[in-house]
Amino acid sequence: MSDSPSSNPSARSWRDIPQEITSRAMSRVGRRRLTVRTMRTIAMVVGGLILAGGGFEIWRTLQDNPQKWTATVSSKPVRHIIVETDGVLNQVWVEETLQLRRDIGLRELELYAQRARLLTHQQIKSAVLKLEFPDTLRVTLAERSPVVRLKAQLDGPDLHVFLVAKDGTVFSGHGYGKRAAAKLPWLAGVRLVRAKVGFSALKGMDQVADLLSTARGNAPELFATWQVVSLERLARDGHILVKSSEVAEIIFGLREDFYSQVARLDLIIDETRRREVAPMRSIDLSVGAAQVPVAFNISSSLPPPAILVFPPCNFPSTARHFHRKF
Amino acid sequence: MIGFGEYQSHGVIMGVVTDFKAASDAAHSALITAEQSAGVKVDEVYLAQSDCHLEGFYNEASVSVSAADNTVSQMDIDTVCRLAKAKALPEGRMVVHHIRRPFRLDGKMVGRNPEHLNGHRMEVDYWTVHGQEAMIANGIHVIRGYDVWVSDRILSSLASGTMMTTWQDRQHGTLVIDIGAGTTDFVLYRDGTPLKTGVLSVGGAHITNDLTLGLRATEGQAEKLKIRHGRANVVTREKSDKVWLNGDFAIEDRQFPRQMIETITSARVTELFEIVKKKLGETLTPDRCPMGVVLTGGSSKLPGMADTAAKVFELPANLGALPPGVDEKLSDPSHPAVLGLLHFGLQNRVDEPGIRRRKSGGLLRKLFTVGA
């Protein structure tokens, strides 16, 4: 019904009234609507710019070097497999495990299936497979490190050696030579249960790993004599039993920290060596710092010890190993 | 129609914004209600105008047909329209509507578009409605405060008249009077187009005010008496006939003489119609308005309104009825103006032959509408 302003230059129309008003003059609801509208406009402009930029880049690539575009989309057969790991597995093992066809193209690879194949080996904690065009597959592995070893029957009568990680995972231990595995103590007193893949994780291995790392780090000579770690009394009494070449049974408790117990053990062994008493049958470190019951092998030709129970001692100042360290 | 919202008006007296915040709050509340009811966002608004500062005048122009073969061209139409609208307004006034009357070619009416017709002299006249710039701007800014655009301002009387009359009524001649609370709008149709429009700063609120003074009642009591017992004509003969204010026999309940109520209300209604008649002057004659008077607006619900109108205008009068198919919730006489706005909004038409219709839609327009 209304006229346009241009058609009547002599009389002003209501359409000449500017409808733009400042946000301050708006009501709260109006300001909120304006903000939403402005944000939507900005989003549209930014989206448009991104689309335009992307389109320009594609256009420029096609104009400057069309081969580059086609080279990116068409892949070549896999020529290189680069393996990065924090453990001992190598490229040969990875290639054997993946079993890739010689002429398989990079884009043909089913990365999820290949990753699942790697993860069937319990030694691998995580695996990341990455395609690097045009012909490289990069495999990044995170491995479990062994704490102890054990022997178990798998399918036949033969006993196989397995390694056990800190999280209790039992795995075959590819890439660990006999010499490397021989440095680990044996694990006893556990029961292996078959799982869908390998064995179920063993309980209490985090405490064993804590004990062994404490002993290896603070008393390596002492740790070198440890042969067997047993968990048979862990669940019942909270004791970890260790058999060493010098003592038939060393009992560690969970109530006190392993550092103190290892220090006390080191002191006792040093003391008995110095006094040249009969070889020890057992040392019970689980009783506490007040007293350490030590049993000797009395059938030996050496004289029995003068002191059977060691009093509390300030071990860091008396034990040479620990005194040096602290 | 997918949504509807209404809110009690505040901050507006006789169609003029007097309290910007109160008027904004009321208008925005109505918009919010409408949006919630419809479930969509309102982007633009068609605003009804019922401001008492609006006035109108006639302006006529004529041109000789320029073509050698006397065929009317688009250029002739544009020229005569431009000349008819080219009249300067007083300072501070601006055009609200240019309502074009039918073209005349050699003195004979030719309807909406005379292009390609033969003749020597073409004439056209416009009814131009204009108002105070500041008051028009206030109305726009109230709406803009909600961050919606005012697409068009339409006279309330035109909006109501479009809904309450048929094409035949408008062609033969009819008078539509929309009696609101603060103002009364009227439009006289003839030959299918509005011949004259007007706004009076008198409405239903004045009847209430008269009752307040005449009966010494409060405004609330007067409003209640007007709705229950008010009439546009006096029918009660007995002076002793009294009505109760509430009828609940409570201590505050009072009695009022029925005849006095009717006398007060009918006097104001009669006066209102007489003012309209005076404003229309000689343009309103029985032969120019054979279809009579159509009454609408909230205050037209007063009983006896049609009888009084018929008596004053000496024309047949009746209460307007909405076209069939309108939702029952909107059939109240106070809603035709809104429905008329909706009608104009949907049509979105411009009655000028020389003016291109504004295109709606289009991705770019939508983009800029969103971003504006």
Side-chain angles (χ1 to χ4, degrees):
Chain A
M1 282 303 282
S2 299
D3 194 5
S4 76
S6 58
S7 64
N8 185 9
S10 57
R12 294 180 69 218
S13 164
W14 73 269
R15 290 191 184 278
D16 295 329
I17 297 171
Q19 291 204 28
E20 285 77 19
I21 61 168
T22 58
S23 60
R24 192 177 290 178
M26 286 183 171
S27 65
R28 202 170 53 189
V29 187
R31 275 198 293 274
R32 195 169 63 223
R33 282 169 60 98
L34 179 67
T35 307
V36 170
R37 197 159 52 87
T38 309
M39 296 300 288
R40 200 169 56 180
T41 307
I42 291 168
M44 283 176 72
V45 170
V46 170
L49 287 174
I50 290 169
L51 281 174
F56 177 71
E57 276 299 316
I58 292 168
W59 176 79
R60 203 174 63 173
T61 307
L62 287 172
Q63 290 291 314
D64 295 348
N65 186 7
Q67 284 77 19
K68 187 180 170 186
W69 182 258
T70 49
T72 308
V73 290
S74 64
S75 67
K76 292 177 180 174
V78 179
R79 294 241 170 85
H80 309 288
I81 297 177
I82 300 171
V83 177
E84 292 172 348
T85 180
D86 58 352
V88 296
L89 295 173
N90 54 26
Q91 189 170 343
V92 177
W93 181 87
V94 171
E95 286 177 6
E96 283 175 0
T97 307
L98 293 177
Q99 294 178 340
L100 298 180
R101 247 179 28 239
R102 285 182 69 84
D103 57 343
I104 191 166
L106 200 62
R107 291 180 70 84
E108 292 176 63
L109 286 176
E110 292 178 16
L111 291 183
Y112 285 101
Q114 303 294 351
R115 181 170 168 270
R117 186 174 286 179
L118 287 172
L119 290 176
T120 54
H121 296 273
Q122 299 279 63
Q123 188 171 341
I124 297 172
K125 200 192 290 181
S126 70
V128 177
L129 281 75
K130 195 173 164 188
L131 302 179
E132 291 183 356
F133 286 95
D135 57 2
T136 304
L137 173 66
R138 184 177 292 274
V139 180
T140 307
L141 302 174
E143 293 182 38
R144 290 187 171 91
S145 55
V147 177
V148 290
R149 55 184 168 153
L150 59 80
K151 273 186 180 175
Q153 285 182 329
L154 207 56
D155 294 320
D158 296 338
L159 286 169
H160 295 270
V161 176
F162 293 95
L163 306 182
V164 185
K166 186 181 177 180
D167 61 358
T169 306
V170 182
F171 55 94
S172 300
H174 298 285
Y176 288 98
K178 282 189 176 177
R179 287 183 66 183
K183 289 178 182 173
L184 301 172
W186 293 99
L187 183 67
V190 293
R191 193 169 177 181
L192 287 179
V193 179
R194 285 268 196 176
K196 204 172 180 181
V197 179
F199 301 99
S200 297
L202 299 176
K203 289 178 181 173
M205 279 310 298
D206 52 339
Q207 288 148 338
V208 171
D210 190 16
L211 170 63
L212 297 183
S213 65
T214 305
R216 190 188 289 119
N218 297 301
E221 292 167 9
L222 183 66
F223 175 74
T225 63
W226 290 10
Q227 295 167 335
V228 180
V229 178
S230 174
L231 302 182
E232 62 181 327
R233 283 164 58 185
L234 181 67
R236 194 185 65 200
D237 302 327
H239 293 166
I240 298 173
L241 309 182
V242 174
K243 182 189 174 190
S244 75
S245 57
E246 292 181 66
V247 186
E249 187 179 66
I250 306 166
I251 304 167
F252 290 94
L254 300 181
R255 285 181 295 180
E256 197 182 1
D257 64 291
F258 290 130
Y259 179 82
S260 306
Q261 294 180 66
V262 170
R264 211 175 299 130
L265 174 67
D266 191 48
L267 174 69
I268 291 165
I269 289 175
D270 276 358
E271 198 65 21
T272 51
R273 276 182 192 156
R274 191 175 59 78
R275 295 186 188 188
E276 294 179 349
V277 294
M280 290 171 286
R281 197 176 66 229
S282 77
I283 303 173
D284 190 353
L285 298 160
S286 67
V287 177
Q291 290 182 334
V292 179
V294 180
F296 291 89
N297 197 349
I298 54 171
S299 62
S300 170
S301 57
L302 289 166
I307 303 166
L308 290 179
V309 175
F310 282 81
C313 53
N314 186 10
F315 56 87
S317 60
T318 51
R320 275 179 285 112
H321 291 298
F322 289 84
H323 184 71
R324 262 202 314 275
K325 287 181 184 295
F326 298 95
Chain B
M1 192 178 303
I2 57 169
F4 173 75
E6 63 181 331
Y7 198 82
Q8 177 64 47
S9 171
H10 292 293
V12 179
I13 296 175
M14 289 186 283
V16 175
V17 177
T18 53
D19 183 339
F20 188 83
K21 191 174 182 316
S24 296
D25 288 346
H28 299 178
S29 299
L31 281 165
I32 290 169
T33 314
E35 281 184 336
Q36 287 171 348
S37 162
V40 294
K41 275 185 76 178
V42 174
D43 288 327
E44 52 186 324
V45 161
Y46 286 84
L47 193 60
Q49 289 203 129
S50 183
D51 310 359
C52 60
H53 58 90
L54 296 176
E55 290 174 12
F57 64 83
Y58 258 107
N59 200 32
E60 192 178 303
S62 62
V63 292
S64 297
V65 177
S66 58
D69 59 353
N70 295 326
T71 305
V72 175
S73 64
Q74 184 62 50
M75 193 178 71
D76 296 328
I77 298 169
D78 290 345
T79 306
V80 75
C81 289
R82 194 178 63 248
L83 290 171
K85 289 188 287 184
K87 187 171 181 181
L89 295 175
E91 188 66 29
R93 307 285 298 180
M94 60 186 356
V95 172
V96 176
H97 275 305
H98 278 307
I99 302 168
R100 183 174 53 75
R101 298 278 303 143
F103 288 95
R104 291 189 303 278
L105 203 55
D106 295 336
K108 288 182 181 172
M109 206 172 290
V110 292
R112 290 175 63 83
N113 191 358
E115 194 177 4
H116 307 307
L117 294 177
N118 272 292
H120 294 88
R121 188 158 193 79
M122 187 169 57
E123 298 163 89
V124 74
D125 35 77
Y126 272 83
W127 175 251
T128 299
V129 181
H130 56 97
Q132 284 286 351
E133 181 176 347
M135 293 176 185
I136 294 170
N138 285 341
I140 291 171
H141 291 157
V142 163
I143 300 301
R144 281 294 295 135
Y146 192 66
D147 193 37
V148 291
W149 292 89
V150 178
S151 290
D152 210 344
R153 292 174 65 96
I154 294 150
L155 279 178
S156 191
S157 55
L158 292 180
S160 303
T162 309
M163 292 308 294
M164 305 307 277
T165 57
T166 62
W167 180 84
Q168 283 86 357
D169 293 339
R170 294 193 289 272
Q171 190 67 27
H172 294 118
T174 187
L175 171 65
V176 179
I177 303 175
D178 184 344
I179 311 167
T183 57
T184 297
D185 304 84
F186 61 89
V187 55
L188 177 63
Y189 285 99
R190 178 75 188 164
D191 304 319
T193 56
L195 183 67
K196 205 166 187 179
T197 64
V199 183
L200 303 178
S201 54
V202 183
H206 294 79
I207 301 172
T208 308
N209 191 48
D210 290 347
L211 287 172
T212 309
L213 296 171
L215 302 174
R216 293 182 183 174
T218 63
E219 194 180 333
Q221 290 171 340
E223 181 69 20
K224 204 181 283 183
L225 288 169
K226 181 185 82 174
I227 292 167
R228 286 185 186 170
H229 309 293
R231 284 191 67 88
N233 55 353
V234 182
V235 294
T236 306
R237 300 294 166 209
E238 292 293 326
K239 285 188 179 178
S240 57
D241 188 3
K242 291 187 176 179
V243 293
W244 287 95
L245 174 64
N246 298 320
D248 58 359
F249 305 107
I251 294 168
E252 299 85 12
D253 210 2
R254 290 168 59 192
Q255 280 191 319
F256 293 95
R258 186 192 290 273
Q259 195 190 49
M260 188 176 284
I261 296 169
E262 290 177 358
T263 305
I264 292 169
T265 52
S266 66
R268 177 60 87 167
V269 172
T270 306
E271 186 196 23
L272 172 66
F273 288 146
E274 278 171 353
I275 296 170
V276 173
K277 191 178 177 185
K278 193 178 171 186
K279 285 255 181 188
L280 289 168
E282 291 176 0
T283 51
L284 181 69
T285 54
D287 60 312
R288 280 185 166 183
C289 192
M291 304 309 286
V293 182
V294 177
L295 299 167
T296 183
S299 298
S300 68
K301 288 187 279 187
L302 214 60
M305 196 63 104
D307 294 338
T308 307
K311 193 175 167 187
V312 172
F313 293 107
E314 296 170 347
L315 287 169
N318 58 295
L319 293 176
L322 286 165
V326 175
D327 196 307
E328 215 170 273
K329 281 186 283 186
L330 300 169
S331 60
D332 191 272
S334 53
H335 291 145
V338 178
L339 290 169
L341 288 177
L342 203 60
H343 172 78
F344 276 105
L346 291 170
Q347 294 249 320
N348 195 20
R349 65 184 177 194
V350 179
D351 280 347
E352 302 302 315
I355 296 169
R356 300 282 174 270
R357 181 178 287 194
R358 191 176 59 190
K359 283 185 179 176
S360 59
L363 183 63
L364 274 177
R365 185 173 173 274
K366 280 181 181 169
L367 186 68
F368 285 109
T369 304
V370 168

